[in-house]
Amino acid sequence: ARYGPRAARDATEAGAHREAAAQLRLVLRQRHRYTPAELADLLERYAVECYTVADSVEAVAAQRDAVALRRSLGDTLTLGADLRWLSRIHWWAGHAEEAQEAAREAIAVLEHAGDDRLLALALSNTAQLRMLSDRYAEAIAHGERAIALARRADDPAILAHALNNVGTARWRSGDPDGRRQVEESLAVSLAAGEVEHACRSYANIIWSLLDDLRYAEADRFLPPALELADRAEHLGFLNYLHVEQAMRRLAAADWDDAEREAEYGMRDFVPARCPALTVLARVRVRCGRPGADELLTQAQEIAVRAGELQRMGPVAAARAEAAWLRGDHAAVIEAAEPVHAQAAHLDHGPYRAELGYWLRKVGYPVAVDDSDHPYALQAAGEWKRAADLWQQAGCPYEHAAALAESPDPADRLTALTELDALGAEPLARLVRTELRTLGVRHIPRGPHAATRGNPGGLTERQLQVVRLLVDGLTNPEIADRLVVSVRTVDNHVRAVLEKLDAPTRGQAAVRATELGLLPYGET
């Protein structure tokens, strides 16, 4: 009771947040030894440490107790500050309505309390919630007021927080100036040593770049973001950033890495769990593995509770894709139509384009999207432009899928080869059926059943590489086909040779054939 609070503070200052939470947990077993004001301060500190290490249940319980004590003490400023924290922690735990309620009360308490700094933070918190729930004009209005107050108070942390919210709202609503503000938020956070605000700036930049298909740019931000969150032991953001990395690897059709990164989000941490479930489900859908429906059901439940398009859009798209691959057109409409209507109302281009594509693919009447998003181009029948854009973005699965919409059987055969190399069996099966319908006689059968058992112990990506290697492609040619770097291919080829116990590429081909790892035969 005497030394624990200081030990916890030392741990916090050292960035050892799990240690700080553990110390405060011990301290709070002796809560009867403290005055109400001291106890409220300890509960608040414990809630913040639990928030930092992604223990949402403990964080919410402690912060609720802190708010109750602040009410009893009648201290307006500390009550307002604790209500703001309670709002943030509720959102972190997936309690959207409770977060909004605490945010409203925080502003009401602080509006005339005479502290510009705390009012700015409460306003910025509300801007953040409005941005997350896609109410961009309200987010900008609250956030700009917070920016003015933060500048007047000369508080870089709150300034960074507010710039992030306003910039992200503008970016998502199509204002190109938004990105500049979020990057300014990141610069201010890093200069001030504000780790939480810097991590959140990184997370919003990366998510927006992924939405915009700017994967190469996202690759510049992911490593420093992960390093910062890991070094600072901000486990909530670390998990979230790993899930964003999973989204990036999914786009590259690197199924194994996507699954490995997504596993970081499969803890009881709501902001990361929903997109993690969606990535894991989409890998299963595209590779024809079981279990996708169960994962999407869980993701859907979280998305509905959150009420945020950034959660509902990807889940709806994954459900629509899964339904289309199994030929259930009614299920495509059921999954996509309500969320597409919301995305169209909010003018959110990426989700509107993708969900509109799936709806038009099954004949559902939706307005033509006039954007240059590749899904919008595919929906308009411009498969060639879409395929080129997908290839430029580094999305081999989507590139093959767009190529498969060509009326030319030669293009479809090329798409089939790419899908087989990716291990994308469900879509490859549909392309084979369409080729037979077109009267094409010589259609590769695809991977032998033994390939699925994978006696060589190769990952999905290594299987893709070995099949192209056997076709005689050089490493640069394989890199171009799979839309990855040559260095990445070099590493995969080295791993293939080791796993197949083959000193040369030629012997690797022989060994792969013996193990049944290659497509075979014609029909």
Side-chain angles (χ1 to χ4, degrees), residues 212-377:
D212 292 347
L213 310 183
R214 298 179 180 180
Y215 297 110
E217 293 180 60
D219 288 340
R220 296 205 323 266
F221 288 96
L222 276 161
L226 286 161
E227 192 277 332
L228 174 63
D230 190 20
R231 173 168 47 81
E233 206 171 59
H234 208 306
L235 303 187
F237 276 113
L238 181 62
N239 291 343
Y240 197 84
L241 290 162
H242 273 294
V243 173
E244 289 186 323
Q245 179 82 291
M247 294 162 63
R248 169 68 182 102
R249 300 321 306 157
L250 175 70
D254 196 342
W255 316 127
D256 294 306
D257 279 354
E259 288 185 309
R260 182 167 53 252
E261 296 288 345
E263 287 296 333
Y264 282 91
M266 291 301 288
R267 300 169 175 85
D268 292 327
F269 176 54
V270 174
R273 185 171 175 82
C274 184
L277 287 163
T278 307
V279 168
L280 291 170
R282 216 147 196 184
V283 169
R284 284 160 174 72
V285 166
R286 293 181 175 182
C287 295
R289 301 178 193 164
D293 288 345
E294 294 83 351
L295 295 172
L296 286 173
T297 297
Q298 295 178 48
Q300 173 81 357
E301 291 171 354
I302 297 172
V304 168
R305 285 200 303 272
E308 297 171 1
L309 185 59
Q310 65 172 342
R311 305 288 176 241
M312 293 188 287
V315 175
R319 292 177 62 215
E321 181 180 1
W324 182 78
L325 285 170
R326 64 174 183 266
D328 189 344
H329 290 191
V332 172
I333 296 169
E334 179 185 1
E337 194 281 328
V339 185
H340 174 265
Q342 182 180 354
H345 174 71
L346 295 169
D347 198 28
H348 190 288
Y351 301 149
R352 183 188 64 214
E354 183 172 7
L355 294 169
Y357 165 75
W358 290 116
L359 289 169
R360 289 179 68 85
K361 200 166 179 66
V362 298
Y364 189 83
V366 295
V368 175
D369 191 319
D370 60 0
S371 74
D372 60 357
H373 192 285
Y375 273 126
L377 296 174

